[in-house]
Amino acid sequence: MIIDTHCHLIDEAFHQDIEAVIDSALKADVRQMVLACCDETEFPQIVALSQSYPDILFSTIGIHPENIAADIHQQFDTLFGALAPLDGNAPSDAQPGIVAVGEIGLDLHWDKSRLDDQKEILRMQTEWALDHDLPVLLHIRDAMPQFLDLCRTTLCPMASERSKQLRGILHCYSGNAEQAKEALSLGDFYFGIGGTLTYKKSLVPEVAQAIGIERIVLETDAPYLAPVPHRGRRNEPAYTADTCRALAEILHISAEEVAQKTTKNARNLLKI
Ligand SMILES: [Zn+2]
């Protein structure tokens, strides 16, 4: 079986046919899907959808760096304040079915003016994840040096203060092999590989070879970034199977081994 560790099934692209989409995923042996949360408006919808598919769909909670509000502290309180207070409860007590805090991170692709706010809300959300013993689902775009720096100076020390290790997925990994190695020296990270692996001139195959299967998890980021041969159309979790086959070819192992090992990695991290 295969796990899609990152998709956006509450996106309006799926409003008409969500049942069929989940059905084709199951038929393609994609039996579990993690719903990435981008802000406080998405969270209730994600929880509602995942509750209609227990053991198949899983919720996350988080504020995407491109979705930060003018007042990040108020936004943080709106989303996380509705849950149980930080009293050492298990995440399942705070809100059933949350498997990670995400997608959170840094994005300097379009707007570079709010890097300080992006860093601060990433720190706050990572702290919440550590206090609830949850992994983080990271969105890092054009900001790997800044992210590694924040890990070194702030996030990792925060984890060690709690005698924990920072753990999570670098979703849609677009850094280089050297940066992946550095991330692994700082925390317990896995690298999310999706459709971009299959694109012409993509650097992801080379990076995936350097990282190795023991640290890779599969994802779609559906409805975005469909893998070849579906490129340009709506992406959906069933296509994780296409990425699985492409990765098998690149790593010179069988698709079964890719499925088995990436599923084991995702389970280790997300406890699903
Ligand atoms: Zn995403």
Side-chain angles (χ1 to χ4, degrees):
M1 70 164 275
I2 296 170
I3 298 178
D4 180 356
T5 60
H6 191 116
C7 56
H8 299 271
L9 296 187
I10 59 152
D11 191 282
E12 61 181 21
F14 299 111
H15 282 180
Q16 300 301 319
D17 61 347
I18 184 67
E19 284 174 32
V21 165
I22 292 169
D23 238 32
S24 21
L26 296 174
K27 285 195 184 107
D29 210 23
V30 180
R31 286 194 239 156
Q32 294 183 319
M33 292 146 247
V34 177
L35 308 183
C37 175
C38 292
D39 61 31
E40 65 280 13
T41 63
E42 289 194 0
F43 182 65
Q45 303 174 56
I46 283 173
V47 170
L49 181 61
S50 59
Q51 280 172 351
S52 0
Y53 292 90
D55 300 323
I56 296 174
L57 302 186
F58 296 88
S59 308
T60 63
I61 179 168
I63 300 161
H64 188 289
E66 287 186 307
N67 294 38
I68 57 174
D71 184 340
I72 55 168
H73 293 94
Q74 190 186 54
Q75 187 182 22
F76 178 90
D77 288 347
T78 303
L79 178 58
F80 291 90
L83 303 177
L86 300 182
D87 57 2
N89 284 346
S92 55
D93 296 334
Q95 183 74 56
I98 297 180
V99 297
V101 175
E103 57 179 301
I104 61 177
L106 303 176
D107 192 323
L108 298 178
H109 189 70
W110 303 111
D111 184 0
K112 298 173 180 62
S113 69
R114 299 197 62 199
L115 177 60
D116 287 345
D117 279 344
Q118 288 190 14
K119 281 185 181 168
E120 175 58 5
I121 200 163
L122 172 57
R123 186 199 62 75
M124 290 156 69
Q125 296 183 95
T126 304
E127 185 171 35
W128 195 91
L130 288 166
D131 286 337
H132 286 81
D133 222 359
L134 287 168
V136 284
L137 209 58
L138 293 160
H139 168 105
I140 308 295
R141 191 178 186 198
D142 295 345
M144 261 318 265
Q146 291 84 349
F147 170 71
L148 291 171
D149 195 51
L150 191 70
C151 274
R152 237 180 276 110
T153 57
T154 308
L155 305 183
C156 294
M158 207 161 71
S160 1
E161 273 167 29
R162 291 164 173 79
S163 312
K164 284 176 185 169
Q165 208 187 2
L166 185 58
R167 58 196 183 92
I169 296 172
L170 282 141
H171 130 76
C172 193
Y173 184 65
S174 58
N176 60 38
E178 199 54 42
Q179 289 165 332
K181 217 173 114 189
E182 205 176 330
L184 283 173
S185 74
L186 292 166
D188 184 11
F189 291 118
Y190 291 87
F191 300 85
I193 301 284
T196 57
L197 176 80
T198 65
Y199 297 172
K200 264 184 201 144
K201 296 186 188 159
S202 169
L203 300 175
V204 181
E206 209 183 303
V207 174
Q209 281 172 339
I211 292 170
I213 192 70
E214 306 299 331
R215 284 282 151 186
I216 290 175
V217 293
L218 298 175
E219 65 168 62
T220 55
D221 206 15
Y224 315 107
L225 302 171
V228 172
H230 314 283
R231 191 173 183 184
R233 294 201 293 269
R234 178 185 77 171
N235 197 2
E236 53 176 82
Y239 303 161
T240 321
D242 294 274
T243 302
C244 178
R245 281 189 290 271
L247 186 59
E249 256 176 59
I250 288 159
L251 298 180
H252 308 293
I253 55 180
S254 68
E256 289 71 28
E257 189 176 349
V258 171
Q260 188 241 322
K261 291 206 164 139
T262 54
T263 292
K264 187 172 151 235
N265 293 345
R267 286 201 163 143
N268 267 343
L269 186 74
L270 302 163
K271 318 271 182 242
I272 57 179

